[in-house]
Amino acid sequence: VLDRFSLTLNAGETVVLLGDADSGKDVVLCLLAGLSGRGEEFSGTIRFRDGEAKQASRKPRPPFPVAYLPAAASRPLNPRVNAVSQLVRVIARKLECPRGAALAEFRGALARLSGAPSFELLDCAPERLDEVSLSWALLAAACAATPELLLCDHPFLDLSPSAARALTDALLAEQKRLNFAIIYAARGPQSVMRLGARTLVLRQGRIVEENDAAHLIGGQTHAYTQALFKALPQPVPDKPMRSSRGEPRLQVQGLGLNTPLKKTVKAKDALSFELRRGASLALVGEDGSGRRALMRAVLGLERKPGRILFDAVDLNLLSEAMTARLRRRVAFITSADEALDLRMTLWDTVDEPLR
């Protein structure tokens, strides 16, 4: 739902639509992309270039090329059909050209993106690509369509900060080259800081605040905008670290995450730390850094060389049955979809480890 929404966008300009899932930014993208549903009703007018104002109720399509850049996390491609083939088909339809020419455009766009993976790496089914590689492929396809308006639907959602930064820099470089306008939908203010663009803060279909990025980052006037920016990670003040006096709950000694089970772990690869009762430990790293492998080892789901002691009990010395019993004392929270069995209800998923 939108309520008295107004926006003027010039060639080469970027506007960020910032807000929660029900803020109305998705309606704006769908309307401009011609994807609005039949039951949706609109009032007001839309003007493209120097043309006449058209009634929004007629859902007019822009008289110039428009490209859509979705989030890789939404998995917009058929997981089992070659990713390049699917993207080339879209480019060919946009440019009204043969697929051979569309493939050349995709290759050229990919080569221009600094930091993008090779064409050979992307030439496979999407289910074999990680979200960062798929994001590069989607960005290359969007730029290959040579749009005048690019609709970005949370494109770099859930990516690591360095990957999102690299993709954003590549996006802005292509915008400078092609001079297309960008409407960028975002849920968090991180995108405002990366893009440094004019931002419209939407809440329940209304614009509650509008300003350029510098002023918005420096201070927000509306309570809703303040709440969004307060959710950003805050720098930790320089305070002396207090060591927990509790007994060791978890001890990891000489663990090798990339070493076969019966091999000796090299000193430079050995991982050791201790976690005491009542204490917290943060693991920070990019995708592939070993955080998830460490979690699986601590849960006893994967055997790794080294020692993992939970309340002074070495997990590697326990049987599978004893490890399963000990695992009931460990709570595990993840956002990974594959952690859920599609054949089980949510209740059964929660209830099973408690039996």
Side-chain angles (χ1 to χ4, degrees), residues 194-262:
R194 294 191 194 105
L195 293 166
R198 178 163 62 100
T199 302
L200 279 64
V201 183
L202 280 78
R203 186 184 187 190
Q204 297 179 347
R206 288 191 175 187
I207 299 176
V208 297
E209 189 166 355
E210 178 179 357
N211 218 325
D212 60 78
H215 286 86
L216 205 59
I217 295 170
Q220 309 86 40
T221 59
H222 196 276
Y224 175 70
T225 313
Q226 293 172 358
L228 291 176
F229 276 83
K230 282 182 179 179
L232 286 172
Q234 301 297 320
V236 179
D238 295 331
K239 293 182 179 180
M241 295 181 62
R242 295 182 298 175
S243 59
S244 175
R245 297 181 179 179
E247 294 295 325
R249 173 70 80 180
L250 176 68
Q251 295 171 287
V252 175
Q253 301 172 354
L255 186 68
L257 296 179
N258 299 315
T259 306
L261 183 58
K262 296 184 179 181

Side-chain angles (χ1 to χ4, degrees), residues 5 42-46 53-58:
F5 177 85
F42 298 94
S43 60
T45 59
I46 300 178
K54 299 181 179 180
Q55 294 298 318
S57 58
R58 296 184 177 182

